[in-house]
Amino acid sequence: MSDYNNLLHHLSSPSPLSIEILPSSHPPHLLSSPPSLGIPRKLLLHCFLHARSIFHNHRYLEELQEESEEVLQATKILTLWEPGWGSAWAVRKKHLLGLRARAGEGVEGSDDTTGCGGGVLGTGMQMRTKKGQIQEAVEAELAWVETLVTSPLDGKQAKSSWVWTHRMWILQTFPMAVCNGLPGEGSNGYTADEGIDAWIKKELQIVMIAGERHPRNYYAWNYARGVIQISMRTLSGDGWEECMRTIHQWCLTHPRDISGWAFLVFLIDQRDLFAGTDESLNADQMVEDVFVKTIVFVRKFGWRGESVEWFLGAAKHLGFEIEKSDRLEQDSSAAPDVSLNGKIDD
């Protein structure tokens, strides 16, 4: 099936794609201008049916060999059409776990450090090769998930609990592979801590795009909480401050999205952890700035909405008496510089 193989060829990119489903009236061929890919709906449907037949022909998935590339590739089209296909995600998990299991084979009993030639050195080279395969596979899997949640699709991919759970599973199951893909000490001028901060910023950018694809995206923002929680010990005070500014900026341009405001409250609630590790960080002052700028902006544009009101109401529960702040007496120049492109998000 030439259309099927052609689509798989385009989906095999190791980098994230921007996929758009074209109307069925469009001529039945792909439009590709990397990283953008346009797929006519009718063509995708035909490919999905073919992928489903391949998938169901393997009736005993528990006996599926990890190297079954045909089934693995079929799951890409299955998850693109139906991101809640749990069995497809299970196959993709099994593939990654199989790579890790094979990378660990033959390690026991190879601690003879006096060996040379094909002994320990040969095993070491083999292990590095296999671990390199795991690294590539994990990065490719993260790229595929990013494609699903950031592409301009119909929104169900961006708000699929299966997709976000799978991405978190990768972070928790292959932390070393994820960390090895970070910019490390001396890489592009990064320090190790800055590499972690940059990775968190990238993950939050993915979440914010997904939040635009599907507003009030609880699963995306819950994933963001997980990212902060698993990196709590390594995120710097400067990194936390940058996260605060970035998320606040996003919330101001999406004032009706309570999921974004709720995540901002979550970040604020972590302030004591970062203030204790960075003496130069005035966390309370940073949080007060966020609340004050929000109030000034609300007054400036006359916003009315439960989401913003809930966020401002959270200030008192977090120990901030913003209404008594002297900063509210300042003029409107205290409002943050946010580009609304002529309108406020509905």
Side-chain angles (χ1 to χ4, degrees):
M1 188 177 181
S2 59
D3 288 340
Y4 179 81
N5 293 329
N6 190 30
L7 177 56
L8 285 180
H9 171 72
H10 284 86
L11 295 181
S12 63
S13 170
S15 302
L17 298 170
S18 178
I19 299 176
E20 185 171 358
I21 308 302
L22 306 175
S24 297
S25 58
H26 190 278
H29 58 263
L30 300 174
L31 291 181
S32 177
S33 179
S36 299
L37 177 64
I39 311 174
R41 182 172 294 275
K42 185 177 295 186
L43 185 150
L44 179 58
L45 176 58
H46 290 162
C47 292
F48 166 76
L49 295 175
H50 184 65
R52 187 177 65 175
S53 67
I54 292 174
F55 190 82
H56 285 309
N57 282 339
H58 293 74
R59 296 182 179 180
Y60 304 103
L61 292 180
E62 66 275 12
E63 297 178 5
L64 177 66
Q65 297 298 316
E66 292 83 353
E67 60 268 15
S68 179
E69 189 68 19
E70 183 183 29
V71 176
L72 183 65
Q73 291 302 315
T75 60
K76 270 199 171 182
I77 297 179
L78 294 179
T79 54
L80 174 59
W81 181 270
E82 178 46 69
W85 196 305
S87 297
W89 289 115
V91 168
R92 301 190 70 81
K93 286 182 173 70
K94 189 170 185 178
H95 168 69
L96 294 175
L97 291 174
L99 288 177
R100 185 174 69 175
R102 290 194 296 274
E105 290 175 358
V107 178
E108 292 82 7
S110 62
D111 56 350
D112 180 9
T113 56
T114 62
C116 61
V120 173
L121 295 180
T123 301
M125 292 180 65
Q126 185 180 29
M127 284 297 295
R128 284 193 295 272
T129 300
K130 290 182 177 180
K131 288 182 178 179
Q133 292 175 349
I134 296 176
Q135 180 78 34
E136 292 177 3
V138 168
E139 291 177 357
E141 192 70 5
L142 290 172
W144 176 241
V145 175
E146 182 177 343
T147 293
L148 291 179
V149 299
T150 60
S151 291
L153 299 167
D154 59 10
K156 65 180 181 180
Q157 290 84 359
K159 201 176 182 179
S160 170
S161 61
W162 286 94
V163 178
W164 290 107
T165 298
H166 185 69
R167 190 174 182 89
M168 179 55 65
W169 176 86
I170 295 172
L171 301 187
Q172 295 174 335
T173 309
F174 299 93
M176 292 306 299
V178 174
C179 290
N180 288 339
L182 300 180
E185 194 80 34
S187 173
N188 297 322
Y190 282 114
T191 64
D193 288 344
E194 289 171 339
I196 293 291
D197 291 351
W199 171 73
I200 293 174
K201 182 178 179 181
K202 178 180 182 296
E203 293 299 304
L204 292 183
Q205 288 291 342
I206 293 172
V207 169
M208 288 186 287
I209 294 173
E212 293 174 350
R213 300 297 184 210
H214 199 305
R216 300 172 181 85
N217 196 333
Y218 166 80
Y219 296 110
W221 291 106
N222 194 50
Y223 168 81
R225 288 184 182 87
V227 168
I228 297 298
Q229 288 170 341
I230 64 178
S231 56
M232 195 75 75
R233 295 182 179 180
T234 50
L235 178 63
S236 68
D238 288 340
W240 173 83
E241 190 172 353
E242 186 174 0
C243 288
M244 285 281 295
R245 289 199 179 98
T246 301
I247 299 301
H248 186 223
Q249 188 94 346
W250 190 91
C251 290
L252 289 176
T253 54
H254 304 80
R256 298 184 187 277
D257 198 316
I258 194 168
S259 295
W261 290 111
F263 178 70
L264 185 57
V265 170
F266 166 78
L267 282 179
I268 292 173
D269 204 29
Q270 313 303 314
R271 65 190 183 280
D272 291 341
L273 296 176
F274 299 103
T277 58
D278 189 344
E279 295 181 357
S280 64
L281 175 66
N282 191 335
D284 286 346
Q285 182 64 49
M286 173 69 189
V287 173
E288 184 176 339
D289 287 347
V290 167
F291 281 118
V292 169
K293 289 178 180 179
T294 302
I295 292 174
V296 172
F297 221 65
V298 165
R299 291 176 178 176
K300 181 177 179 180
F301 288 97
W303 286 349
R304 294 293 183 272
E306 181 181 356
S307 299
V308 177
E309 292 175 2
W310 175 85
F311 173 72
L312 294 177
K316 185 172 295 185
H317 294 286
L318 292 170
F320 291 88
E321 298 289 341
I322 303 301
E323 294 295 341
K324 300 179 181 180
S325 173
D326 295 336
R327 296 195 55 202
L328 284 178
E329 303 301 324
Q330 299 177 9
D331 58 26
S332 59
S333 63
D337 182 16
V338 176
S339 175
L340 297 175
N341 297 319
K343 66 177 183 178
I344 297 176
D345 177 39
D346 293 328

